[in-house]
Amino acid sequence: MLLMFLGKPVGLILAYGVLGALFMPFLAITLLFILNSDRVPAEWRNKPGTNVMLGLCAVIFSYLALTELVKQVGKVLGGS
């Protein structure tokens, strides 16, 4: 909100994009851990196909988050 009041909503939009890109791998990895734990009943645990898909999501979105973060930090530090 501070960026909005300072008249720089572009920074707010960039921060929203970067944080959104970082959320998806966090969600996929968290679901992998939680839904494979002993606290979840056996019939509700992830099956192998679900584990593979969540693993792929974690890898793909981690790559996308990293490239987005590097791109945005490069814009801030490099100016272009």
Side-chain angles (χ1 to χ4, degrees), residues 5-62:
F5 291 121
L6 292 175
K8 298 183 180 181
V10 174
L12 182 65
I13 293 168
L14 291 176
Y16 177 77
V18 170
L19 291 175
L22 293 173
F23 176 73
M24 288 303 288
F26 169 76
L27 180 63
I29 292 168
T30 302
L31 286 173
L32 272 171
F33 283 115
I34 290 174
L35 294 177
N36 285 313
S37 69
D38 292 337
R39 293 181 180 197
V40 175
E43 64 270 8
W44 292 351
R45 289 189 194 143
N46 283 346
K47 306 294 186 265
T50 307
N51 285 331
V52 169
M53 293 304 290
L54 280 173
L56 282 173
C57 284
V59 168
I60 291 169
F61 279 110
S62 294

